[in-house]
């Protein structure tokens, strides 16, 4: 995906109206964006710089910019519950994702976490038990990152609880109900020093996972949760937002050690 220069056909663009409503569109030659505020021709946007304003047929003003990964993940079609950007950022650091890292990811869901790891340069083998989610994940990843990235995103419809074929992996990253079932497979699939990370909504899952580590060669296990609080900043009213997302999931990570 191009990051700079004028807006081009076949790339996603974010439109923001005066009421800060956001719309994600894929620019197409001859395409039209319809809303109750009138029609905006895609051809008006193609060839123009980001950050400009455009007027619809009914006089509504929109700003057009390229979506960031956060904009995209919050607007893309979602089937399964996704991992949110506030957790994807820390996952990239805690799982120490680097360009070329060989990662086994399961399940894929809507591909939000895949998008984050691919963007950080990972080479992913993805196991997803549901073929509809595998498709959704592939469509979302391709739509935001473009076709070139698909060579680093090999997906299979299969149950990761039954085993992992790959060996000498750098990372195993999981978002599914029973990550402890994957611990023995990950022990064989990772190289020594490799990292296992699981995202789980419930603390019961966290303790079951730590119990499984006790029976394995995984050590240095840690669990964190990430709280993010937005602030309202307007004139003299400078205070935390009244509402926040109080809970998403726990991040548990461990490293494969010697016997
Ligand atoms: N991390 C994803 C969301 C994953 S939701 C995202 O950010 O978009 C959990 C996914 O795990 C679902 O798609 C579910 O079908 C899949 N899943 C559950 N059990 C599984 C298993 N045993 N093997 C593979 N995938 C599994």
């Amino acid at each position: 995906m191009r990051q700079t220069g004028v807006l081009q056909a076949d790339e996603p663009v974010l439109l923001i109206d005066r009421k800060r409503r956001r719309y994600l569109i894929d620019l197409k030659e001859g395409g039209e964006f319809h809303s109750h505020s009138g029609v905006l021709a895609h051809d008006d946007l193609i060839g123009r710089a980001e950050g400009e304003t455009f007027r619809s047929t009914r006089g509504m003003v929109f700003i057009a910019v390229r979506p960031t990964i956060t904009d995209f993940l919050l607007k893309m079609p979602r089937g399964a519950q996704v991992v949110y950007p506030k957790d994807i950022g820390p996952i990239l650091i805690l799982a120490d994702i680097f360009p070329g890292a060989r990662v086994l990811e399961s399940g894929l869901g809507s591909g939000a976490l895949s998008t984050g790891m691919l963007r950080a340069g990972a080479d992913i083998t993805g196991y997803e038990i549901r073929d509809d989610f595998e498709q959704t994940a592939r469509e979302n990843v391709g739509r935001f990152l473009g076709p070139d990235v698909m060579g680093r995103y090999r997906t299979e419809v299969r149950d990761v609880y039954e085993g992992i074929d790959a060996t000498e992996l750098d990372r195993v990253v999981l978002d599914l109900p029973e990550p402890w079932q994957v611990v023995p497979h990950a022990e064989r699939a990772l190289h020594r020093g490799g990292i296992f990370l699981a995202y789980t909504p419930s603390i019961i899952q966290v303790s079951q996972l730590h119990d499984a580590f006790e029976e394995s060669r995984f050590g240095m296990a840690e669990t964190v949760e990430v709280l993010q609080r937005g602030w309202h900043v307007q004139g003299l009213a400078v205070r935390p937002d009244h509402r926040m997302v109080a809970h998403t999931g726990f991040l548990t990570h461990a490293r494969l050690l010697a016997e």
Side-chain angles (χ1 to χ4, degrees):
M1 191 184 78
R2 288 203 53 155
Q3 306 291 333
T4 56
V6 294
L7 300 175
Q8 299 196 353
D10 301 316
E11 68 171 333
V13 166
L14 188 74
L15 299 176
I16 303 142
D17 70 14
R18 275 224 185 87
K19 293 184 176 164
R20 298 197 181 191
R21 284 180 299 222
R22 292 157 162 256
Y23 306 88
L24 183 70
I25 63 170
D26 294 299
L27 280 187
K28 296 276 174 232
E29 276 170 27
E32 291 183 333
F33 168 69
H34 291 255
S35 74
H36 56 270
S37 325
V39 180
L40 196 62
H42 290 198
D43 289 347
D44 290 351
L45 278 68
I46 293 170
R48 303 283 292 276
E50 284 185 76
E52 290 193 25
T53 46
F54 299 90
R55 201 170 281 276
S56 76
T57 49
R58 288 208 201 145
M60 174 66 103
V61 173
F62 293 91
I63 294 172
V65 287
R66 289 192 170 88
T68 62
I69 187 169
T70 301
D71 298 325
F72 180 77
L73 296 180
L74 297 179
K75 282 286 172 194
M76 71 184 196
R78 290 178 248 170
Q81 178 65 268
V82 302
V83 178
Y84 284 98
K86 107 171 153 65
D87 293 306
I88 293 177
I91 288 171
L92 297 179
I93 297 298
L94 294 171
D96 197 28
I97 301 298
F98 57 90
R102 296 183 65 218
V103 180
L104 184 288
E105 186 193 355
S106 187
L108 303 179
S110 309
L113 182 52
S114 304
T115 303
M117 292 197 291
L118 288 164
R119 199 151 202 233
D123 186 300
I124 299 180
T125 300
Y127 288 3
E128 168 55 55
I129 205 164
R130 286 183 47 170
D131 55 1
D132 54 340
F133 284 151
E134 186 219 25
Q135 274 317 310
T136 307
R138 294 189 67 83
E139 280 160 23
N140 284 332
V141 162
R143 183 176 172 204
F144 185 62
L145 297 176
D148 293 350
V149 86
M150 299 316 272
R152 292 192 279 121
Y153 193 49
R154 292 168 304 280
T155 59
E156 299 174 36
V157 178
R158 57 187 279 181
D159 183 346
V160 75
Y161 299 158
E162 292 182 350
I164 297 172
D165 286 342
T167 54
E168 290 298 304
L169 290 171
D170 296 305
R171 312 289 182 242
V172 170
V173 177
L174 304 172
D175 174 10
L176 36 66
E178 301 187 2
W180 52 89
Q181 290 210 41
V182 186
V183 167
H185 308 316
E187 256 183 306
R188 285 187 289 274
L190 284 165
H191 61 68
R192 243 195 251 168
I195 299 176
F196 179 110
L197 183 144
Y199 171 95
T200 53
S202 148
I203 200 69
I204 307 289
Q205 292 167 303
V206 170
S207 45
Q208 240 171 298
L209 183 54
H210 279 259
D211 289 348
F213 288 148
E214 291 295 320
E215 307 290 311
S216 77
R217 286 197 288 132
F218 285 103
M220 304 165 71
E222 289 180 23
T223 296
V224 297
E225 70 175 311
V226 178
L227 306 182
Q228 174 176 304
R229 188 166 73 161
W231 280 64
H232 171 92
V233 180
Q234 201 169 44
L236 291 179
V238 181
R239 51 155 178 84
D241 283 337
H242 292 309
R243 291 165 200 245
M244 73 186 269
V245 177
H247 179 65
T248 53
F250 300 100
L251 310 180
T252 301
H253 54 99
R255 299 195 73 178
L256 189 65
L257 307 175
E259 294 294 339

mmCIF file of all heavy atoms in Angstrom, residues 96-103 121-124 170-171:
data_model
loop_
_atom_site.group_PDB
_atom_site.id
_atom_site.type_symbol
_atom_site.label_atom_id
_atom_site.label_comp_id
_atom_site.label_asym_id
_atom_site.label_seq_id
_atom_site.Cartn_x
_atom_site.Cartn_y
_atom_site.Cartn_z
ATOM 1 N N ASP A 96 7.654 -9.673 20.764
ATOM 2 C CA ASP A 96 8.906 -9.292 20.108
ATOM 3 C C ASP A 96 8.858 -9.636 18.613
ATOM 4 O O ASP A 96 9.733 -10.318 18.088
ATOM 5 C CB ASP A 96 10.071 -10.028 20.803
ATOM 6 C CG ASP A 96 11.413 -9.406 20.487
ATOM 7 O OD1 ASP A 96 11.449 -8.194 20.213
ATOM 8 O OD2 ASP A 96 12.419 -10.144 20.503
ATOM 9 N N ILE A 97 7.831 -9.150 17.958
ATOM 10 C CA ILE A 97 7.642 -9.419 16.524
ATOM 11 C C ILE A 97 8.623 -8.553 15.725
ATOM 12 O O ILE A 97 8.725 -7.355 15.962
ATOM 13 C CB ILE A 97 6.188 -9.102 16.094
ATOM 14 C CG1 ILE A 97 5.181 -9.948 16.898
ATOM 15 C CG2 ILE A 97 6.010 -9.320 14.587
ATOM 16 C CD1 ILE A 97 5.295 -11.443 16.708
ATOM 17 N N PHE A 98 9.343 -9.183 14.806
ATOM 18 C CA PHE A 98 10.353 -8.462 14.025
ATOM 19 C C PHE A 98 10.196 -8.833 12.549
ATOM 20 O O PHE A 98 9.559 -9.837 12.230
ATOM 21 C CB PHE A 98 11.760 -8.815 14.531
ATOM 22 C CG PHE A 98 12.078 -10.289 14.506
ATOM 23 C CD1 PHE A 98 12.665 -10.891 13.388
ATOM 24 C CD2 PHE A 98 11.772 -11.097 15.599
ATOM 25 C CE1 PHE A 98 12.955 -12.251 13.366
ATOM 26 C CE2 PHE A 98 12.050 -12.466 15.588
ATOM 27 C CZ PHE A 98 12.638 -13.036 14.463
ATOM 28 N N PRO A 99 10.762 -8.040 11.647
ATOM 29 C CA PRO A 99 10.627 -8.356 10.224
ATOM 30 C C PRO A 99 11.211 -9.735 9.923
ATOM 31 O O PRO A 99 12.337 -10.034 10.307
ATOM 32 C CB PRO A 99 11.438 -7.248 9.534
ATOM 33 C CG PRO A 99 11.415 -6.108 10.501
ATOM 34 C CD PRO A 99 11.451 -6.749 11.862
ATOM 35 N N GLY A 100 10.420 -10.570 9.290
ATOM 36 C CA GLY A 100 10.863 -11.920 8.943
ATOM 37 C C GLY A 100 10.596 -12.949 10.030
ATOM 38 O O GLY A 100 10.864 -14.137 9.825
ATOM 39 N N ALA A 101 10.076 -12.547 11.182
ATOM 40 C CA ALA A 101 9.793 -13.502 12.263
ATOM 41 C C ALA A 101 8.833 -14.573 11.758
ATOM 42 O O ALA A 101 7.822 -14.255 11.130
ATOM 43 C CB ALA A 101 9.187 -12.780 13.465
ATOM 44 N N ARG A 102 9.142 -15.836 12.060
ATOM 45 C CA ARG A 102 8.251 -16.940 11.652
ATOM 46 C C ARG A 102 7.236 -17.161 12.768
ATOM 47 O O ARG A 102 7.577 -17.653 13.846
ATOM 48 C CB ARG A 102 9.059 -18.212 11.402
ATOM 49 C CG ARG A 102 10.039 -18.073 10.232
ATOM 50 C CD ARG A 102 10.751 -19.388 9.979
ATOM 51 N NE ARG A 102 9.829 -20.427 9.548
ATOM 52 C CZ ARG A 102 9.913 -21.706 9.927
ATOM 53 N NH1 ARG A 102 10.843 -22.108 10.775
ATOM 54 N NH2 ARG A 102 9.043 -22.579 9.469
ATOM 55 N N VAL A 103 5.986 -16.804 12.471
ATOM 56 C CA VAL A 103 4.944 -16.801 13.498
ATOM 57 C C VAL A 103 3.847 -17.793 13.143
ATOM 58 O O VAL A 103 3.375 -17.826 12.001
ATOM 59 C CB VAL A 103 4.299 -15.394 13.613
ATOM 60 C CG1 VAL A 103 3.204 -15.389 14.681
ATOM 61 C CG2 VAL A 103 5.354 -14.331 13.909
ATOM 62 N N GLY A 121 6.108 -6.879 9.844
ATOM 63 C CA GLY A 121 7.060 -7.656 9.044
ATOM 64 C C GLY A 121 7.041 -9.147 9.277
ATOM 65 O O GLY A 121 7.852 -9.878 8.712
ATOM 66 N N ALA A 122 6.097 -9.652 10.101
ATOM 67 C CA ALA A 122 6.064 -11.084 10.401
ATOM 68 C C ALA A 122 5.721 -11.901 9.151
ATOM 69 O O ALA A 122 5.090 -11.417 8.217
ATOM 70 C CB ALA A 122 5.040 -11.363 11.495
ATOM 71 N N ASP A 123 6.150 -13.151 9.203
ATOM 72 C CA ASP A 123 5.815 -14.143 8.179
ATOM 73 C C ASP A 123 4.900 -15.133 8.893
ATOM 74 O O ASP A 123 5.345 -15.869 9.771
ATOM 75 C CB ASP A 123 7.119 -14.793 7.720
ATOM 76 C CG ASP A 123 6.905 -15.734 6.567
ATOM 77 O OD1 ASP A 123 6.135 -16.710 6.733
ATOM 78 O OD2 ASP A 123 7.506 -15.497 5.512
ATOM 79 N N ILE A 124 3.600 -15.112 8.565
ATOM 80 C CA ILE A 124 2.616 -15.828 9.384
ATOM 81 C C ILE A 124 2.092 -17.090 8.715
ATOM 82 O O ILE A 124 1.716 -17.085 7.546
ATOM 83 C CB ILE A 124 1.409 -14.917 9.706
ATOM 84 C CG1 ILE A 124 1.865 -13.690 10.510
ATOM 85 C CG2 ILE A 124 0.311 -15.674 10.457
ATOM 86 C CD1 ILE A 124 0.731 -12.735 10.880
ATOM 87 N N ASP A 170 9.674 -18.904 15.403
ATOM 88 C CA ASP A 170 10.133 -17.882 16.347
ATOM 89 C C ASP A 170 9.061 -17.565 17.394
ATOM 90 O O ASP A 170 9.377 -17.282 18.543
ATOM 91 C CB ASP A 170 10.474 -16.587 15.592
ATOM 92 C CG ASP A 170 11.630 -16.778 14.630
ATOM 93 O OD1 ASP A 170 12.692 -17.234 15.086
ATOM 94 O OD2 ASP A 170 11.465 -16.489 13.425
ATOM 95 N N ARG A 171 7.778 -17.585 16.963
ATOM 96 C CA ARG A 171 6.708 -17.143 17.855
ATOM 97 C C ARG A 171 5.439 -17.963 17.624
ATOM 98 O O ARG A 171 5.117 -18.308 16.473
ATOM 99 C CB ARG A 171 6.328 -15.666 17.582
ATOM 100 C CG ARG A 171 7.507 -14.696 17.474
ATOM 101 C CD ARG A 171 8.164 -14.466 18.821
ATOM 102 N NE ARG A 171 9.255 -13.517 18.768
ATOM 103 C CZ ARG A 171 10.522 -13.813 19.073
ATOM 104 N NH1 ARG A 171 10.879 -15.052 19.400
ATOM 105 N NH2 ARG A 171 11.457 -12.879 19.062
#
